[in-house]
Amino acid sequence: MLSDTSTTGPILTESLLRRLDVPGPRYTSYPTADRFVEAFGPIEYRQALEQRAQGATVGGTPPLSIYVHIPFCESVCYYCACNKVITKHHERAEEYLRALEAEIGLHVAVLGKGKAVSQLHFGGGSPTFLSDAEIERLMTALRDAFRIAPGAELSIEVDPRTVTAQRLEHLARLGFNRLSFGVQDFDTEVQKAVHRVQSYESVRDLVASARSLGFESLNVDLIYGLPKQTPVSFARTVELVGELRPDRIALYAYAHLPARFKPQRRIDPAELPPPGDRVQMLGSAIQGFLGFGYTYIGMDHFALPGDSLAAAKRQGRLHRNFQGYSTQPDCDLIGLGVSAIGRMGATYSQNAKTLPEYYDAVNQGQFPVVRGLALTRDDLVRRAVIMALMCQGRVEFESIELAHLVSMRKYFATELEALQPLVDMGLVEIEPEAIQVTPRGWYFVRGVAMVFDRHLRADQTRERFSRII
């Protein structure tokens, strides 16, 4: 059971956690990526880029966000659901870099050179599969094509098994100012069960090196619900992470979907913790991180009070994109690389998911987009409501009504009625002119947002999503 310092009573109980432990989207977008269609392809994506380029000539446009997907990993982590290519042949990076450079060129041909970028993120896979020279080559190509704005967030996901203090120093020289360490769990038996063995000491030393190099923000990723985890063992991991004191912590629930993700078939289902243990792990982790002084940002993210993410939450400036919570204003996102997802105006797009398809498209001078979505008016209204819930925990009726010319109480009459059980559980308050997520409800904000998801309501098959607890 958890207590919040702003109240006298408990916020969470085990029975409440169990009741709300259902599958649901993470809402890094709305509609979610599973709703993308093949009718949206390279032609439609180019049109969206052209519309942005035309808008820039009229009154200017906000800076861009860029995501670069590096799919390669030297070894497979059994829990992983990312798009990846397992190989020890580092020479394969050469062809991929050429393709990325070509894809960057396709964007410059439409948008023009030197467009401002306020956020850049390298993800994967393992971006640190690339050598120092290869990462520098990619950064040079990006800086030649775009203008990195002053104060921009430049982040990269780091596999602690593939980097040294010297590599971190090189990343700092290239301009990266944020690092995300993939830890998942520090227990040796759990690490063996998921085929990702790395010592606490190695991560501790890398964190110390990153701090001495002046990185602005360090993130640690954790997963609960992995094979051989127990409430006791995971509590120890939480304690060790608290001692490392990263600026941010991402705490994800493991979604065991072996039918969709082949590596997960190597996990013995009998070794997965039972639902009661998962609930206990989540509860104790939240309590542990709050005890270490972290602010609960939302859903599965924590940050130290001095971190920009915590400040953004306090000031109502929190945003959400395909990488999760962000301090950046809601801006267009270019996704580069195999399987990368982007957003341009009122459209979403995703690149080809296999290297042969991706290479074939860019070699023919085409954007490698294979599916996407042009949002309808209804999608835009619902996205505004869902993102307000996910980021601010509050929906002001007036702001939605003025922006989208609807009556909240009429347009969402069914949804407001469906919120009543959550109101009864103390998760939501419906005010005369607003919806307010309570401190208790903030831990289940995905469940609150799901009420407004028209696509999810029409399709009750939710097992493709992770569980919200």
Side-chain angles (χ1 to χ4, degrees), residues 73-283:
C73 294
E74 285 194 0
S75 63
V76 64
C77 301
Y78 297 160
Y79 57 81
C80 186
C82 298
N83 185 290
K84 59 200 170 296
V85 176
I86 307 302
T87 181
K88 292 187 181 295
H89 295 282
H90 284 254
E91 64 273 13
R92 295 186 66 178
E94 170 62 30
E95 183 179 12
Y96 193 70
L97 287 173
R98 287 200 306 269
L100 282 174
E101 289 165 345
E103 189 183 4
I104 291 169
L106 291 172
H107 283 86
V108 171
V110 179
L111 293 174
K113 195 172 184 179
K115 300 306 177 187
V117 171
S118 61
Q119 187 178 52
L120 172 65
H121 181 75
F122 282 24
S126 296
T128 47
F129 177 92
L130 300 180
S131 67
D132 286 351
E134 288 165 341
I135 295 176
E136 184 168 358
R137 170 181 166 182
L138 182 52
M139 285 297 292
T140 298
L142 289 165
R143 289 185 183 277
D144 286 347
F146 303 97
R147 178 176 62 84
I148 306 299
E153 294 184 358
L154 277 62
S155 59
I156 183 169
E157 297 172 10
V158 172
D159 182 347
R161 301 169 299 174
T162 63
V163 297
T164 61
Q166 290 71 34
R167 293 212 72 190
L168 295 184
E169 184 178 2
H170 185 71
L171 293 175
R173 284 201 302 269
L174 292 178
F176 288 100
N177 49 33
R178 297 172 181 273
L179 300 176
S180 180
F181 292 101
V183 170
Q184 323 317 343
D185 195 300
F186 279 126
D187 185 87
T188 304
E189 292 305 309
V190 175
Q191 291 181 353
K192 290 178 181 176
V194 298
H195 201 237
R196 187 187 179 97
V197 177
Q198 57 195 13
S199 69
Y200 166 75
E201 289 75 19
S202 65
V203 176
R204 177 199 62 197
D205 293 346
L206 287 172
V207 167
S209 296
R211 295 228 183 272
S212 67
L213 290 166
F215 282 91
E216 292 177 21
S217 183
L218 305 180
N219 176 81
V220 164
D221 285 347
L222 298 177
I223 300 177
Y224 68 94
L226 293 174
K228 295 194 174 182
Q229 274 181 341
T230 68
V232 172
S233 72
F234 196 63
R236 176 58 180 159
T237 289
V238 169
E239 183 178 342
L240 291 171
V241 171
E243 292 174 3
L244 290 176
R245 206 159 178 78
D247 302 275
R248 300 177 183 179
I249 298 166
L251 175 65
Y252 300 114
Y254 171 62
H256 189 60
L257 302 169
R260 288 184 58 196
F261 306 114
K262 189 175 179 180
Q264 295 185 357
R265 297 171 196 171
R266 303 190 192 188
I267 289 177
D268 181 358
E271 294 183 344
L272 294 172
D277 283 2
R278 285 170 57 97
V279 166
Q280 192 174 342
M281 279 186 262
L282 173 62

Side-chain angles (χ1 to χ4, degrees), residues 26-29 298-301 318-326 328 330 343 387 390-391:
R26 295 176 50 79
Y27 292 116
T28 51
S29 71
M299 204 166 70
D300 41 28
H301 282 68
L318 204 60
H319 297 276
R320 193 157 176 78
N321 58 28
F322 287 105
Q323 280 76 62
Y325 283 109
S326 169
Q328 297 293 307
D330 207 14
R343 166 191 165 174
M387 291 305 160
M390 295 293 295
C391 296

Side-chain angles (χ1 to χ4, degrees), residues 25 31-36 371 459 464-465:
T32 49
D34 60 301
R35 305 295 171 182
F36 293 1
R371 66 187 195 124
D459 177 10
R464 61 183 176 275
F465 301 116

Side-chain angles (χ1 to χ4, degrees), residues 17 41 57 91 140 220 237 276 283 301 303 305 324 351 364 372 388 392 421 424 436 441 452:
L17 287 165
T57 62
E91 64 273 13
T140 298
V220 164
T237 289
H301 282 68
N351 285 350
Q364 294 185 53
Q392 280 77 47
D424 296 340
Q436 175 68 53
F452 293 88

Side-chain angles (χ1 to χ4, degrees), residues 36 40 45 340-343 347-351 369 371-373:
F36 293 1
F40 188 102
Y45 181 64
I341 295 178
R343 166 191 165 174
T347 70
Y348 296 132
S349 59
Q350 183 170 29
N351 285 350
V369 172
R371 66 187 195 124
L373 195 67

Side-chain angles (χ1 to χ4, degrees), residues 315-385:
Q315 298 164 8
R317 297 185 294 102
L318 204 60
H319 297 276
R320 193 157 176 78
N321 58 28
F322 287 105
Q323 280 76 62
Y325 283 109
S326 169
T327 62
Q328 297 293 307
D330 207 14
C331 57
D332 288 336
L333 167 67
I334 292 176
L336 299 172
V338 63
S339 79
I341 295 178
R343 166 191 165 174
M344 195 59 54
T347 70
Y348 296 132
S349 59
Q350 183 170 29
N351 285 350
K353 291 186 177 182
T354 68
L355 287 177
E357 287 180 284
Y358 174 71
Y359 290 151
D360 184 58
V362 294
N363 288 340
Q364 294 185 53
Q366 294 182 354
F367 288 105
V369 172
V370 294
R371 66 187 195 124
L373 195 67
L375 276 64
T376 66
R377 179 173 178 269
D378 179 72
D379 290 334
L380 292 170
V381 177
R382 292 177 184 275
R383 180 173 75 177
V385 171

